Amino acid sequence: MFTTALVQRDKNQPGALPLDLFAAIKNLKKELNAVILAHYYQEPDIQDIADFIGDSLQLAKAAANTNADVIVFAGVHFMAETAKILNPDKMVLLPDLSAGCSLADSCPPKEFAAFKAAHPDHLVVSYINCSAEIKAMSDIICTSSNAMRIVQQIPQNVPIIFAPDRNLGRYVMEQTGRDLVLWQGSCIVHETFSEKKIVQLKIAHPEAEAIAHPECEPTVLRHASFIGSTAALLKYCQESQTQEFIVATEPGIIHQMQKAAPQKHFIPAPPINNCNCNECPFMRLNTLEKLYLAMKNRAPEITMSEEIRLAALRPIQRMLEMSV
């Protein structure tokens, strides 16, 4: 159940924010025939008001199947782009247009085009955490939920470029035995976890299981008893008999873990420095206030050229077909 959100009004926008944001957003959803899609890494208030919460694969499927006229995407830019690619006739709103992605930014289109040209016989499998331009240069898109299944469906004699996350690519190589040509991108959140501090936590909590997202560095993954996508980590915590977990991914997911298994204890894996670096600074740019204002003002809206959209649509459709 939602609790009434009492907020401080924006001094630069007098009267712009209602006292009860949950009620106001609910009313705007009806007015716009809107659906709110939120990633697990969003702040708890946004997760609680969302119509659908999921990881990248779940959100892509939800975006493909929605009957709403307006999609409000509480996530980062590449996720909202994916929703627009799948729904060209719908309005797609992103609460904060600055909500980018360090992993997507680590793969600039011009440089990747040259990298692809240097491997002309390779099929390109790109992690969904990339820009529309990179998707348009790809043959198949994947997520951390289906990356291994996608790669395993590609004939052994077909060489593969995997972009942009080197850690996920390395993990897929280990699990499938395929030799992939890796683009050297990474996520600032998942590469910041401290192996030393995780080991110290395991000593302090000997009954706890360490679980990790495959975007983490190999030094962290080797301490994990379970490795999986955000949705897989959530499911594992629900089904496991273990009562305590050290969670090596963005700690926003712990809100859902705690709701699904309130009797269990979840410890966010600490970063190398004494900071909040295990929180994605881009995901956290979205707030309940910005979500309300985006719906009220019908902006910021995600747009792109039809040429890019159609080129990016094909590899996403291949992913969805191969993920059935």
Side-chain angles (χ1 to χ4, degrees):
M1 295 293 293
F2 303 145
T3 56
T4 300
L6 299 179
V7 300
Q8 183 177 2
R9 296 183 185 277
D10 187 335
K11 295 178 181 179
N12 296 319
Q13 299 188 57
L17 298 177
L19 286 177
D20 188 343
L21 281 172
F22 288 121
I25 290 170
K26 185 176 179 181
N27 290 335
L28 280 170
K29 276 178 23 179
K30 291 180 181 177
E31 179 185 331
L32 298 174
N33 185 27
V35 64
I36 300 174
L37 306 182
H39 194 274
Y40 287 125
Y41 297 166
Q42 291 295 286
E43 65 174 43
D45 279 347
I46 290 178
Q47 292 187 41
D48 287 344
I49 203 169
D51 297 292
F52 186 88
I53 309 164
D55 63 8
S56 295
L57 178 60
Q58 293 169 324
L59 291 170
K61 288 181 176 179
N65 295 325
T66 184
N67 293 318
D69 295 320
V70 177
I71 299 172
V72 186
F73 214 114
V76 292
H77 198 273
F78 78 81
M79 297 177 178
E81 278 188 335
T82 301
K84 185 63 177 180
I85 290 165
L86 292 164
N87 295 278
D89 298 326
K90 299 183 188 298
M91 175 180 285
V92 177
L93 302 174
L94 182 66
D96 191 321
L97 209 56
S98 300
C101 172
S102 60
L103 179 53
D105 290 346
S106 72
C107 190
K110 183 177 179 180
E111 286 82 348
F112 186 70
F115 184 77
K116 179 182 175 181
H119 302 85
D121 299 326
H122 287 56
L123 183 141
V124 178
V125 177
S126 291
Y127 188 25
I128 199 167
N129 298 36
C130 64
S131 66
E133 289 82 3
I134 299 301
K135 289 181 175 71
M137 286 187 260
S138 304
D139 296 292
I140 309 171
I141 298 302
C142 73
T143 71
S144 54
S145 294
N146 63 19
M148 285 185 290
R149 193 166 11 138
I150 294 289
V151 168
Q152 286 169 336
Q153 292 178 64
I154 298 169
Q156 288 283 340
N157 62 339
V158 176
I160 300 171
I161 289 173
F162 189 93
D165 190 83
R166 64 172 181 258
N167 289 325
L168 177 59
R170 187 185 296 115
Y171 180 72
V172 171
M173 288 175 67
E174 292 172 356
Q175 297 300 307
T176 64
R178 295 295 295 268
D179 185 19
L180 309 178
V181 176
L182 303 179
W183 176 268
Q184 295 298 308
S186 64
C187 165
I188 58 171
V189 170
H190 287 98
E191 69 179 359
T192 196
F193 294 115
S194 167
E195 179 189 16
K196 178 180 177 181
K197 291 181 181 179
I198 289 173
V199 171
Q200 291 171 338
L201 274 177
K202 291 183 76 173
I203 293 170
H205 301 268
E207 301 300 318
E209 276 191 79
I211 59 175
H213 193 284
E215 285 183 37
C216 292
E217 296 285 339
T219 52
V220 169
L221 295 183
R222 70 186 180 192
H223 295 287
S225 58
F226 180 79
I227 299 167
S229 69
T230 319
L233 295 177
L234 176 59
K235 182 180 179 182
Y236 182 79
C237 289
Q238 290 177 264
E239 296 178 351
S240 172
Q241 296 301 308
T242 301
Q243 296 299 301
E244 194 168 32
F245 298 90
I246 299 165
V247 183
T249 191
E250 215 280 354
I253 185 61
I254 291 177
H255 181 61
Q256 293 301 318
M257 290 176 172
Q258 202 68 74
K259 288 172 69 174
Q263 76 283 9
K264 298 184 179 182
H265 183 214
F266 301 95
I267 307 166
I272 296 169
N273 300 312
N274 295 321
C275 61
N276 291 327
C277 307
N278 58 348
E279 294 183 359
C280 176
F282 301 105
M283 286 281 187
R284 301 308 172 98
L285 286 174
N286 296 314
T287 63
L288 202 64
E289 293 84 353
K290 291 177 184 177
L291 191 148
Y292 164 77
L293 290 171
M295 296 175 73
K296 179 176 181 255
N297 299 326
R298 280 62 159 174
E301 182 180 1
I302 300 295
T303 60
M304 70 187 68
S305 73
E306 186 66 0
E307 180 183 5
I308 289 290
R309 189 193 73 81
L310 288 173
L313 177 62
R314 286 188 287 272
I316 294 174
Q317 287 177 327
R318 287 197 71 185
M319 174 189 74
L320 295 173
E321 291 165 1
M322 297 170 76
S323 301
V324 175

